[in-house]
Amino acid sequence: MTTPPGRRPRVVGLGLVMADVRVVCPVPLHEESDPSVRAMDLRLGGATTNTLVALRRLGLATSLASGVGDDWIGRFLLDRLDAYGVERRHVAAVPGPSASCLVLEAPPARTLLWHLPKPLERAAEAVLRTRLPELVADADAVHVNGRFPQAATELCALASDRGVTVSLNAGRGDVSEGVPELLRYADVLVAAESWAVAHTGADTAREACARLSVQAPGSPRLVSVTCGEHGSWTTGPGLGEAVHTAAPVVAPGLPTAGAGDAYHAGFLAAALAGATPGQCARAGAAEAGRHLSEAVAVPAA
């Protein structure tokens, strides 16, 4: 898992790249409400893409395997990947619209409205499956999250055979449907509390973390179960039980979108550097805190 000294680790991510339309609203929304929003912007998004951008910021080399449509959104996404320094030669351009998401931040609630065109998903996956050997050729780690499930499974199997670290993000929503097939390949697993508890049948995040670690064949895998403002539970090789790491202390009212992806980036970067499980969790929390500190707070109504 540890990258040789003197060489910058390279992480290849397979997953969505999408345009996030982020809307910040100062009050909870109700039926027939018509509030004024306090901020609106268009930005690069997608869980895998967010993690790669954060890894790049931490000094790692990153490459994205994904798909965009042949529309203005696709051109915007490719331009933003270039701006962040994420390699995109394996981002397939296919006919049709690109993926997008409306991120509605109305603390304490957050609503994500996805638009993932099925033709884009099918066409991109077909192209990506022909490039799997190229993706792992000089990678230190591959990062997946259940999107493009057939390509992701084949990529993880190939990476595992070649001794490349497999990083898996197990989150909520329909993306989690592809996770069970990938779980057996994961060397580094960061899971949302809701998914971890549901998958293992555990009563607590701590118990779920311990169960996920020993479900892997061979030695225990490195696992962190994230619990939002309640921090995370982490275990792995060298630890007898899960340890708790506090969440970063940030100002109230901050939009939280992308914080979990930033946590995974800090966690994975530390793991590739040979850090202990506890050190990985603290690095993840620090990166999540950095991400949140740069967010725009929702002003009081």
Side-chain angles (χ1 to χ4, degrees), residues 188-287:
V188 177
L189 171 64
V190 176
E193 179 182 16
S194 57
W195 180 90
V197 169
H199 177 79
T200 61
D203 293 325
T204 65
R206 181 180 185 178
E207 182 184 349
C209 182
R211 291 186 184 184
L212 286 168
S213 180
V214 299
Q215 283 178 355
S219 61
R221 63 158 66 94
L222 180 58
V223 175
S224 189
V225 174
T226 57
C227 310
E229 62 183 9
H230 301 294
S232 62
W233 289 94
T234 304
T235 192
L239 278 182
E241 58 183 27
V243 296
H244 182 259
T245 300
V249 178
V250 295
L254 292 179
T256 58
D261 304 326
Y263 178 93
H264 202 142
F267 191 92
L268 177 58
L272 292 173
T276 66
Q279 290 170 334
C280 291
R282 290 189 290 275
E287 186 60 19

Side-chain angles (χ1 to χ4, degrees), residues 21 77 96 133 148 155 171 199 209 230-231:
V21 180
L77 295 174
F148 306 120
L155 176 64
H199 177 79
C209 182
H230 301 294

Side-chain angles (χ1 to χ4, degrees), residues 16-243:
L16 276 184
V17 57
M18 62 197 323
D20 282 355
V21 180
R22 176 173 167 269
V23 179
V24 179
C25 185
V27 295
L29 299 181
H30 305 287
E31 187 176 358
E32 298 297 329
S33 62
D34 189 21
S36 296
V37 301
R38 296 299 175 90
M40 179 181 291
D41 58 27
L42 177 66
R43 59 179 60 186
L44 187 69
T48 295
T49 303
N50 290 340
T51 298
L52 293 181
V53 168
L55 285 167
R56 185 70 188 88
R57 181 170 183 149
L58 289 169
L60 282 69
T62 60
S63 179
L64 176 65
S66 188
V68 297
D70 58 354
D71 56 0
W72 72 268
I73 294 178
R75 294 189 293 275
F76 165 79
L77 295 174
L78 295 177
D79 286 345
R80 296 314 298 158
L81 289 170
D82 288 342
Y84 284 115
V86 177
E87 184 188 70
R88 60 172 176 87
R89 62 191 172 98
H90 295 299
V91 178
V94 301
S98 299
S100 57
C101 181
L102 174 62
V103 182
L104 179 57
E105 297 269 5
R110 186 184 74 193
T111 302
L112 305 180
L113 302 176
W114 296 81
H115 177 226
L116 176 55
K118 286 299 180 183
L120 169 71
E121 194 172 22
R122 290 192 295 267
E125 182 163 48
V127 173
L128 294 174
R129 290 182 64 200
T130 68
R131 303 182 182 182
L132 299 181
E134 298 175 60
L135 295 180
V136 299
D138 58 349
D140 296 288
V142 296
H143 177 70
V144 296
N145 72 341
R147 290 291 182 198
F148 306 120
Q150 192 167 5
T153 300
E154 294 174 10
L155 176 64
C156 289
L158 184 59
S160 184
D161 287 343
R162 298 190 179 186
V164 174
T165 296
V166 174
S167 167
L168 176 60
N169 174 17
R172 63 180 184 175
D174 65 327
V175 68
S176 65
E177 295 172 6
V179 168
E181 286 297 314
L182 304 173
L183 197 57
R184 66 180 182 271
Y185 300 111
D187 300 300
V188 177
L189 171 64
V190 176
E193 179 182 16
S194 57
W195 180 90
V197 169
H199 177 79
T200 61
D203 293 325
T204 65
R206 181 180 185 178
E207 182 184 349
C209 182
R211 291 186 184 184
L212 286 168
S213 180
V214 299
Q215 283 178 355
S219 61
R221 63 158 66 94
L222 180 58
V223 175
S224 189
V225 174
T226 57
C227 310
E229 62 183 9
H230 301 294
S232 62
W233 289 94
T234 304
T235 192
L239 278 182
E241 58 183 27
V243 296

